[in-house]
Amino acid sequence: MSCCGMRPLGESGVHPRGLLTPNHVALVNKVFPTEAGETGPRPSRLSTLVFYANQKPIKLAKVGEFLAKRIKGDLSRVKSGHVSVGLQICDSLMVQCPPTHVNILAKSIMRIVDTVLQSPDPDLMLEATKTFVIFNSFYTHDTIIDVELTEQYSSLVFTFCAQCTYTTTDSIVQNKLHQSGLRAIQSISGNDTFFLNPRAADYISKIIPAILANLHEEGRLITTSPPPQKKGARAPIVPMRTTLTDDLFTHPLQQQSAITSLGALLSNTNSKTLRMVLEPLWAEMDAKGEWRNDAHVAFIMDEIAAAVAPQYHYILLGSLVERVKVTALASLDRRGVVVGLAVLVSGGNGSSVAAMELLEALVGQIHEASARQEAENTSLQGALVEAVGALAIHLAYPTQLSDLVGFLVNRLVKEDAATRSILCS
């Protein structure tokens, strides 16, 4: 005892530095396991932290800042378990606090996800992706006011897209990174307010190549060379770590994730925004030679038709018709576009387009193809004839078949011998 009857600091059993620790810091630290054998966040302590955040939402900003600082430190000390706990704390705060409170945490969540994505551990990246997916369920794209938050979000979009095309000889690591990126993309494009974002077109320009890259055979994705660095994105470091979940990350899984991501993007479109997606989609297929594989084209068209609302199928078909007319397109690529048209029409997706208008466009292409001397024109002509035949499979009105025949008979009289030969083949 001191002479005035008071104990000096330290005699009470409390660490002197603990008396100066802010309440939010102490509450966060208590959630982390300290005993041997403990894993995951301490449930009772996590409940206390969530209660504190709900009662004092003004403190959420400080909670987020401290979590970002702590996770960065744990990551540098290779405390993967603690990094995982930190991410789970973020998830709980977003899910269990009122949605309006997530805005207070937003910048810290972005910093935390960005920090973990720079780690060499793909499993931690997947956990960070889960946190980002939860954040996206609350994020509203039409309230872009905070410039800093917008830049953080955009940087993460580009980083996740880069993950989808990351290549390495380690197929397990590659599949995990692709899965991480695709899960994030699905949550981004599946957000109901996505197309209200002023940067939606920029995001789509990165999202489309990322999705298409995962709709191919596995062999086409493996390479020993590192991926090119993209603006706003980092190439992850390949780790030397294996986990029990490695065998779950297979190529069929990532292909299904790519299909789901494409569906999420297209299902949110309307008459205006659908064109915003289709134009870069066709351009990417042009650039990567996607049109030259009939089975692949049919597969993609089926998925697109399933995702796009039926009332907008006319835009889809009209976009393909315009693509056929692009003079710079090689005959083999133009043939693939025609195959895509035939797949959509034969599948009953052309009823919203005037059959006679589509027939006129196809016959016009046959006329142009007959005048060219390219070796690939024979296969293009064959595809055009098949597309014409597909118009007779699904009839939108009772006299459609007779109208089609009447149109073709009239054209046969007017066309040159080469075109007539093709139409009669």
Side-chain angles (χ1 to χ4, degrees):
M1 281 282 189
S2 63
C3 60
C4 58
M6 297 184 65
R7 288 182 180 178
L9 290 177
E11 291 184 15
S12 63
V14 178
H15 195 285
R17 293 167 64 183
L19 298 175
L20 303 177
T21 302
N23 199 26
H24 68 276
V25 173
L27 287 172
V28 170
N29 283 335
K30 287 177 181 178
V31 180
F32 288 82
T34 56
E35 302 296 330
E38 273 190 305
T39 58
R42 292 173 164 176
S44 60
R45 298 298 187 179
L46 180 58
S47 297
T48 302
L49 175 62
V50 171
F51 178 79
Y52 172 81
N54 278 315
Q55 294 299 309
K56 298 183 177 181
I58 195 172
K59 296 292 186 180
L60 265 175
K62 290 186 176 181
V63 170
E65 290 170 4
F66 177 69
L67 271 171
K69 180 180 178 181
R70 164 133 194 180
I71 288 174
K72 185 176 182 180
D74 287 337
L75 200 58
S76 65
R77 291 188 289 272
V78 199
K79 291 186 175 181
S80 299
H82 281 193
V83 173
S84 178
V85 169
L87 290 170
Q88 291 177 64
I89 293 173
C90 293
D91 298 347
S92 296
L93 289 172
M94 286 190 288
V95 171
Q96 297 182 45
C97 289
T100 53
H101 293 178
V102 175
N103 293 331
I104 304 173
L105 277 172
K107 291 182 185 178
S108 295
I109 296 295
M110 294 297 96
R111 280 195 292 272
I112 289 168
V113 173
D114 182 67
T115 297
V116 179
L117 288 181
Q118 296 180 56
S119 77
D121 189 333
D123 293 300
L124 286 180
M125 291 184 196
L126 284 165
E127 290 192 49
T129 302
K130 177 186 174 185
T131 300
F132 182 75
V133 168
I134 292 173
F135 175 81
N136 266 317
S137 66
F138 298 102
Y139 187 60
T140 306
H141 288 267
D142 60 347
T143 55
I144 307 296
I145 299 175
D146 194 315
V147 176
E148 182 185 356
L149 177 60
T150 302
E151 291 299 329
Q152 288 177 316
Y153 188 85
S154 298
S155 177
L156 285 176
V157 171
F158 299 144
T159 297
F160 282 118
C161 288
Q163 280 188 343
C164 292
T165 56
Y166 179 76
T167 51
T168 174
T169 52
D170 189 331
S171 61
I172 293 175
V173 171
Q174 176 173 298
N175 287 342
K176 285 184 177 182
L177 294 183
H178 286 204
Q179 191 64 27
S180 170
L182 289 168
R183 286 176 181 174
I185 285 176
Q186 183 181 341
S187 71
I188 295 165
S189 56
N191 188 302
D192 292 339
T193 63
F194 172 73
F195 286 100
L196 298 177
N197 192 314
R199 298 190 179 188
D202 292 334
Y203 296 164
I204 290 170
S205 69
K206 303 293 184 182
I207 287 173
I208 291 296
I211 291 174
L212 288 182
N214 289 276
L215 291 177
H216 295 288
E217 312 89 286
E218 189 171 18
R220 291 179 59 181
L221 295 170
I222 302 296
T223 178
T224 56
S225 60
Q229 283 289 87
K230 298 186 178 182
K231 184 178 180 180
R234 296 170 298 277
I237 302 170
V238 178
M240 298 296 291
R241 180 185 177 191
T242 58
T243 64
L244 295 175
T245 61
D246 286 353
D247 291 339
L248 300 178
F249 294 90
T250 60
H251 181 67
L253 174 64
Q254 74 186 46
Q255 186 179 61
Q256 184 57 49
S257 295
I259 293 169
T260 305
S261 298
L262 181 62
L265 179 63
L266 290 168
S267 62
N268 275 333
T269 56
N270 54 34
S271 59
K272 179 181 178 180
T273 55
L274 179 55
R275 293 183 176 89
M276 189 190 299
V277 176
L278 293 178
E279 289 178 10
L281 177 58
W282 304 152
E284 182 67 14
M285 291 180 71
D286 293 345
K288 297 297 173 64
E290 305 279 352
W291 298 110
R292 304 193 177 195
N293 183 327
D294 288 1
H296 186 61
V297 170
F299 169 71
I300 290 179
M301 292 304 155
D302 284 339
E303 296 300 332
I304 293 174
V308 175
Q311 63 266 32
Y312 301 133
H313 282 178
Y314 75 95
I315 298 175
L316 174 58
L317 284 162
S319 178
L320 286 173
V321 170
E322 290 301 314
R323 204 76 191 169
V324 173
K325 297 177 182 178
V326 175
T327 55
L329 205 60
S331 290
L332 287 177
D333 294 326
R334 186 178 285 106
R335 178 189 176 280
V337 178
V338 174
V339 169
L341 267 172
V343 169
L344 292 174
V345 173
S346 63
N349 300 300
S351 58
S352 56
V353 177
M356 303 310 297
E357 292 180 13
L358 187 52
L359 178 59
E360 186 171 3
L362 291 170
V363 172
Q365 286 299 309
I366 291 175
H367 176 79
E368 291 183 16
S370 67
R372 289 192 290 265
Q373 302 299 319
E374 300 173 18
E376 297 88 355
N377 263 338
T378 302
S379 61
L380 172 59
Q381 293 164 5
L384 286 165
V385 170
E386 288 183 16
V388 170
L391 290 171
I393 297 176
H394 292 276
L395 304 180
Y397 57 94
T399 62
Q400 178 177 319
L401 188 57
S402 60
D403 289 346
L404 293 173
V405 173
F407 177 89
L408 288 173
V409 169
N410 289 333
R411 287 300 293 261
L412 283 172
V413 175
K414 299 176 182 179
E415 289 291 350
D416 54 66
T419 305
R420 285 200 299 271
S421 174
I422 296 171
L423 286 172
C424 293
S425 60

